[in-house]
Amino acid sequence: MRHLMSPLDFTTEELEQLFDLANDIEKNMKKYSHACDGKKLATCFYEPSTRTRLSFESAMLSLGGNVLGFSDANSSSAAKGESVSDTIRMISCYADICAMRHPKEGAPMVAATKSSIPVINAGDGGHQHPTQTLTDLLTIRSLKGRLNNFTIGLCGDLKFGRTVHSLINALSRYDNITFVFVSPEELKIPEYITDMLKEKNISYEEVISLEEVIGKLDLLYMTRVQRERFFNEEDYVRLKDFYILNKEKMDMAKPDMLVLHPLPRVNEISVEVDDDERAVYFKQVQYGVYVRMALILTLLEIDTDNL
Ligand code: NCD
């Protein structure tokens, strides 16, 4: 039985298969509409989420399966003091697969060790968010046609943004990727990540100004300042509007530079950018459903050749 804790749990070859499956789902939705008949997905969300939880639920419903779960730790037995290990043992009796989000880093991993069903890490604290990364990679691969040979700018909260950490990890396995980290001094990318890049001889630079570098990017990954991970509100207020991507800055970018964002967006992308055809963050949401469908099928070991 397999779980998904980090995007690195799949080899790049396995990811290719997963993305091929997701692209086939995109083209032939109907073919998959009963693939998970009788199966149940549990969504155990100990931290707020709209997109990710609904994306998982939509994915399972589109496969003909059912969903159950909770979307708030206070409405689960965690509020009574139940451990994640006990909760997952119980969920294992109720469902065939579980997507878990938790504010504590490593909690889904602890759950996986006690689980008798596949567990998917749907975001653990500031650590990892592998299914967002699968979404990001599928979006890039589908719209750019490749996962190598590009310069990607990651902008905003690079310190607390788990989507950023997961994406860098995943992209570090592809050839000729240059990272440009754009953040205020206080929200710089953690050192363990730059150490990993140095060790692998992957080129990166760290800058504060987006204008200075936007012209050379093939991809721009914008992120929100992660308010819930700040120790004090004052720092958040000071940093929250540090970057605002607007039309003027888009005019400085390449004509085929794609703008991605894991969403939710706060102020960091002005709504006027939404109409720019290079803004693909809402398309990204749709790819998120396809890739989660492919992931559920893969982890449940459903034979998709005979659908
Ligand atoms: C992200 C997350 O939860 O880390 N959202 C998501 O799942 N799409 C990004 C964020 O909250 O900023």
Side-chain angles (χ1 to χ4, degrees):
M1 190 186 51
R2 270 188 103 154
H3 307 285
L4 177 71
M5 292 298 126
S6 142
L8 303 185
D9 292 353
F10 284 107
T11 64
T12 49
E13 291 76 29
E14 286 172 327
L15 285 182
E16 288 301 304
Q17 281 172 17
L18 188 83
F19 298 148
D20 284 344
L21 179 57
N23 285 141
D24 192 57
I25 291 170
E26 174 185 7
K27 286 194 222 98
N28 307 297
M29 259 318 233
K30 257 197 128 155
K31 180 175 140 195
Y32 295 88
S33 61
H34 291 288
C36 284
D37 275 357
K39 301 274 185 203
K40 282 171 271 175
L41 164 80
T43 50
C44 301
F45 277 60
Y46 295 84
E47 203 187 58
S49 160
T50 339
R51 213 160 339 269
T52 305
R53 185 171 54 80
L54 294 185
S55 175
F56 269 111
E57 296 188 358
S58 166
M60 191 48 151
L61 294 172
S62 299
L63 292 167
N66 290 302
V67 295
L68 67 163
F70 55 87
S71 55
D72 175 6
N74 294 323
S75 68
S76 80
S77 289
K80 298 182 190 164
E82 185 174 57
S83 69
V84 164
S85 309
D86 282 3
T87 303
I88 194 69
R89 281 182 164 142
M90 178 199 64
I91 300 286
S92 296
C93 305
Y94 296 161
D96 301 285
I97 185 165
C98 170
M100 179 180 285
R101 168 168 292 192
H102 205 286
K104 280 210 188 106
E105 298 167 11
M109 177 80 99
V110 171
T113 62
K114 298 283 188 239
S115 177
S116 51
I117 59 173
V119 177
I120 301 167
N121 175 4
D124 61 329
H127 188 215
Q128 296 275 345
H129 193 344
T131 61
Q132 181 62 47
T133 298
L134 298 183
T135 302
D136 302 338
L137 295 181
L138 177 65
T139 306
I140 297 169
R141 184 180 178 266
S142 303
L143 300 177
K144 279 270 184 217
R146 63 178 195 277
L147 282 171
N148 51 16
N149 300 318
F150 53 72
T151 298
I152 179 168
L154 295 113
C155 175
D157 188 344
L158 308 187
K159 179 179 181 188
F160 295 113
R162 57 191 171 197
T163 59
V164 168
H165 305 158
S166 274
L167 182 59
I168 298 166
N169 258 330
L171 284 176
S172 71
R173 298 194 293 186
Y174 296 92
D175 290 337
N176 200 20
I177 306 275
T178 300
F179 292 99
V180 181
F181 300 130
V182 188
S183 75
E185 194 60 38
E186 294 93 328
L187 298 177
K188 271 171 77 168
I189 194 87
E191 227 174 78
Y192 78 88
I193 293 185
T194 49
D195 285 349
M196 179 273 289
L197 295 175
K198 276 184 211 145
E199 208 172 282
K200 292 180 139 185
N201 255 325
I202 296 171
S203 58
Y204 72 88
E205 62 177 308
E206 296 183 85
V207 298
I208 295 176
S209 153
L210 178 57
E211 288 92 325
E212 208 178 279
V213 292
I214 196 167
K216 64 180 172 189
L217 305 178
D218 301 304
L219 297 163
L220 172 58
Y221 196 87
M222 292 297 295
T223 61
R224 144 186 100 84
V225 175
Q226 306 279 298
R227 181 182 203 158
E228 64 279 31
R229 315 225 186 272
F230 273 69
F231 293 111
N232 72 63
E233 183 72 9
E234 248 168 63
D235 285 347
Y236 169 72
V237 170
R238 185 165 50 81
L239 293 168
K240 72 181 171 64
D241 293 329
F242 204 93
Y243 299 106
I244 298 181
L245 182 64
N246 55 16
K247 208 175 159 303
E248 209 182 330
K249 288 187 193 118
M250 287 301 286
D251 288 343
M252 299 159 73
K254 287 186 185 176
D256 61 350
M257 180 197 76
L258 300 182
V259 183
L260 289 90
H261 191 308
L263 303 179
R265 153 184 55 190
V266 187
N267 275 335
E268 58 280 356
I269 303 180
S270 153
V271 288
E272 69 192 16
V273 175
D274 297 358
D275 296 330
D276 191 307
E277 59 181 32
R278 294 169 291 180
V280 298
Y281 28 92
F282 291 114
K283 279 191 191 153
Q284 208 177 335
V285 176
Q286 185 64 63
Y287 282 117
V289 179
Y290 300 140
V291 90
R292 288 185 176 94
M293 288 173 74
L295 179 66
I296 292 170
L297 291 169
T298 304
L299 294 181
L300 287 178
E301 297 177 5
I302 307 269
D303 178 7
T304 52
D305 291 336
N306 297 313
L307 291 176

